[in-house]
Amino acid sequence: MAVPIKRLKVDDKTSHEDAKLLLFIQWMKQQGFVISDKVQISKEGSCNEFGVVAIEDIEEDHLLFTVPREAILWQENCAIKKQIKKDEHMLKTMGGPWVPLVITILYEYFNPNSYWRPYLDLFPNYSTLDHPMFWERDTLSSEAGGTGVEELVKRDVDKMRKDYDNAALPFMKKHSKLFRVLESLEFHMYKKIVAFIMAYSFTDDRNDSNGDCDDECNTNAPMMVPLADVLNHITEHNARVVYKEDCLEMRSICNIKKHEEIFNTYGRLSNLELLHLYGFVQPFPLNTDDTVQVSLDIVLREFKEWARDKEKTGCSLDAKILYLKSFGVEKDDNVLKIGFEGLVDFEVLRTILKVLFDESFDAKEDYEDCYEDITYDTLRNLPSEWMEVIHRSTVAKSKQFPRSLLEDEEMINRTSSLSSRQKQVLYLRYGQQMLLHKFIKSVSECLESSRFS
């Protein structure tokens, strides 16, 4: 049963944080949110600062709450939407798709009379955000080496800097009367807003597959959805968002017992993506969407070594690398992806291996192949030469981590002495090493078996 917001329950103890939460609830009431009387915003029973918890048993497909479209914060529903629309071409060509929303939140956050003040006050100074982009460089290199975090952070921070210098800052200078905060605004604050969007925004994907959205349509622009972003994420989630014309609905996808937390999903994301985008990971083996990835650069290097050891001729790489580049594959791209069931997205790696092992390579030939999953059960069906290079590549990847699997296993048993950052990167590293260890062992067994067949 969905009821007016006045029946939403919160914890009885009142603190500074609770006072802000009560103001947020009052604001939702004014905006026409409708919420089930079976749920409660709470710090108790939540895996994070806040969460939504069931206070009664909930059945499958129960309407947990609705968020009116008018209450969604994004570029087309803010106090400066006219200015953003006027400069839309500059923002799109000089910056990324998130720049309009970053500008929107910067304006609303520093506006004491903002329509979204009670919502934005739940995130004071965004001090709880602890994405790797805010970590010390030494921590990234010494603790997260080999995981891919450092590379993602560098790529994204470089992109943020360009967006800030080329699009956001020029826009705010042009409209300086609206952005009096410019005098004290620093790039670090811009990064915090981006991290806030990364961690809490939603994307309405209703038009992703039907082709109805033209270049002028902003349906897929990121947006902030109050209350929906209070729900935390786990892989085995129990709720989902339903996008409708006039509102967003949150519905249960299974039975939920009293006192259980209600979880949304941020998508099928690896722990690397979760840490980079949201600042947390799920300890192994809870995230069944986790992967460990090997770059094309490693695969190429190990292929060269393999070809030299086997005294193979006709394996010149220059033309083949150019061919792969024509398909948008670069040396730092992750092309060998290992998940819980085997190789993930194998069609890319299959094409690469077909090109590399063709001694009569012809750039005019079509090397693309039909898709076929490679699970642990079908791994033995790959050509033995392919498996040899895959094995070399995964072993090389395992040597990039700052600690061995055994050392990480020992640390897992004494996490109480670790900081939050150290725990998160340990869980990330350990999960990747566990996936890698299982895969290397399986490939070794397949190669051993092929030698006797």
Side-chain angles (χ1 to χ4, degrees):
M1 172 181 175
V3 297
I5 193 69
K6 63 182 181 181
R7 293 187 62 186
L8 180 65
K9 301 177 178 67
V10 292
D11 299 332
D12 293 333
K13 295 180 181 179
T14 302
S15 66
H16 183 64
E17 288 184 350
D18 292 330
K20 289 184 176 181
L21 184 56
L22 289 171
L23 287 174
F24 174 55
I25 290 171
Q26 181 64 28
W27 177 81
M28 288 192 292
K29 176 183 177 180
Q30 295 169 353
Q31 310 315 316
F33 285 62
V34 178
I35 300 184
S36 168
D37 58 357
K38 296 184 178 183
V39 302
Q40 163 182 289
I41 299 178
S42 178
K43 289 181 287 185
E44 298 294 329
S46 171
C47 69
N48 202 355
E49 186 176 7
F50 289 113
V52 177
V53 178
I55 56 174
E56 295 181 26
D57 289 345
I58 296 174
E59 68 278 7
E60 182 180 350
D61 200 36
H62 179 73
L63 179 59
L64 302 170
F65 57 81
T66 64
V67 180
R69 287 273 175 181
E70 293 78 13
I72 294 172
L73 175 57
W74 68 309
Q75 65 209 49
E76 296 193 6
N77 189 29
C78 66
I80 57 170
K81 63 180 181 181
K82 290 182 180 179
Q83 289 84 353
I84 291 177
K85 188 69 175 177
K86 184 177 180 180
D87 291 329
E88 186 176 29
H89 178 72
M90 182 274 289
L91 293 174
K92 281 185 175 180
T93 55
M94 302 303 292
W98 286 13
V99 172
L101 182 56
V102 179
I103 291 170
T104 296
I105 295 175
L106 275 170
Y107 173 80
E108 299 291 350
Y109 181 79
F110 288 103
N111 177 10
N113 301 315
S114 172
Y115 173 80
W116 282 274
R117 184 80 274 141
Y119 165 61
L120 294 172
D121 280 347
L122 289 179
F123 309 94
N125 298 318
Y126 307 103
S127 56
T128 60
L129 297 172
D130 194 28
H131 294 58
M133 71 173 75
F134 301 116
W135 296 6
E136 295 82 4
R137 186 170 297 178
D138 288 347
T139 301
L140 287 174
S141 58
S142 64
E143 300 292 330
T147 63
V149 173
E150 194 172 7
E151 294 80 1
L152 285 179
V153 167
K154 184 182 185 309
R155 182 199 68 188
D156 279 8
V157 171
D158 287 349
K159 181 67 169 63
M160 285 178 219
R161 184 85 238 187
K162 290 179 181 178
D163 289 347
Y164 176 75
D165 291 338
N166 299 333
L169 204 55
F171 176 89
M172 289 186 287
K173 286 182 177 179
K174 179 178 179 180
H175 303 283
S176 57
K177 291 183 179 180
L178 296 173
F179 292 92
R180 299 189 184 281
V181 68
L182 260 179
E183 295 177 3
S184 59
L185 180 65
E186 297 179 351
F187 178 61
H188 185 70
M189 185 61 191
Y190 184 87
K191 283 172 60 179
K192 284 186 175 183
I193 300 294
V194 173
F196 173 57
I197 294 172
M198 288 168 68
Y200 291 98
S201 66
F202 288 72
T203 302
D204 186 345
D205 57 1
R206 286 174 300 160
N207 289 333
D208 272 355
S209 59
N210 60 20
D212 293 338
C213 194
D214 57 28
D215 291 339
E216 299 301 317
C217 178
N218 283 318
T219 303
N220 296 323
M223 54 191 181
M224 311 309 297
V225 185
L227 185 57
D229 54 19
V230 174
L231 269 66
N232 295 307
H233 161 96
I234 58 173
T235 303
E236 300 299 325
H237 56 105
N238 52 20
R240 69 182 179 93
V241 177
V242 179
Y243 295 92
K244 297 200 168 183
E245 289 298 325
D246 60 342
C247 68
L248 271 72
E249 294 182 348
M250 188 68 70
R251 289 186 170 273
S252 59
I253 61 172
C254 61
N255 294 333
I256 304 172
K257 293 182 180 181
K258 182 179 179 179
H259 302 312
E260 288 184 348
E261 184 169 3
I262 297 169
F263 291 98
N264 185 24
T265 176
Y266 302 160
R268 301 194 61 180
L269 302 175
S270 67
N271 273 342
L272 172 60
E273 293 167 309
L274 285 176
L275 183 60
H276 177 59
L277 295 173
Y278 302 100
F280 73 94
V281 302
Q282 289 185 264
F284 184 87
L286 297 179
N287 184 3
T288 54
D289 292 320
D290 199 12
T291 61
V292 58
Q293 305 180 12
V294 183
S295 69
L296 175 60
D297 189 45
I298 291 177
V299 174
L300 291 175
R301 187 177 70 235
E302 295 306 317
F303 174 79
K304 286 181 181 178
E305 292 293 321
W306 173 88
R308 187 189 65 187
D309 292 346
K310 299 290 183 179
E311 297 182 347
K312 292 286 185 179
T313 58
C315 290
S316 175
L317 286 182
D318 292 344
K320 294 178 180 180
I321 292 173
L322 286 174
Y323 177 85
L324 293 173
K325 278 189 175 182
S326 70
F327 285 92
V329 182
E330 300 290 342
K331 283 189 175 183
D332 58 352
D333 289 348
N334 292 312
V335 297
L336 200 170
K337 302 179 183 180
I338 301 162
F340 273 69
E341 303 299 325
L343 290 170
V344 181
D345 299 333
F346 183 64
E347 66 271 23
V348 176
L349 182 59
R350 178 188 291 275
T351 299
I352 291 169
L353 293 174
K354 286 181 67 177
V355 170
L356 294 180
F357 280 93
D358 186 354
E359 295 189 25
S360 56
F361 169 74
D362 183 354
K364 296 180 180 179
E365 186 175 336
D366 184 7
Y367 287 90
E368 291 188 283
D369 204 349
C370 59
Y371 176 76
E372 179 185 352
D373 286 330
I374 298 297
T375 65
Y376 281 107
D377 292 333
T378 59
L379 190 59
R380 68 187 75 252
N381 297 333
L382 292 177
S384 60
E385 291 182 335
W386 288 20
M387 282 197 288
E388 287 178 14
V389 171
I390 289 173
H391 181 265
R392 285 171 174 258
S393 300
T394 50
V395 170
K397 172 67 178 182
S398 70
K399 295 176 181 178
Q400 290 188 331
F401 296 104
R403 294 180 182 85
S404 68
L405 177 58
L406 182 60
E407 290 173 317
D408 277 347
E409 284 178 339
E410 292 175 351
M411 292 184 68
I412 287 286
N413 295 323
R414 49 182 177 85
T415 56
S416 59
S417 62
L418 302 179
S419 67
S420 174
R421 291 179 179 180
Q422 288 174 323
K423 286 180 184 178
Q424 296 298 330
V425 78
L426 170 61
Y427 293 147
L428 170 65
R429 206 172 55 228
Y430 179 69
Q432 289 190 359
Q433 293 215 72
M434 286 294 287
L435 291 173
L436 203 55
H437 174 74
K438 178 182 177 181
F439 185 80
I440 291 173
K441 181 180 178 182
S442 184
V443 175
S444 297
E445 290 172 352
C446 289
L447 286 171
E448 189 67 22
S449 177
S450 68
R451 293 189 183 101
F452 296 96
S453 61

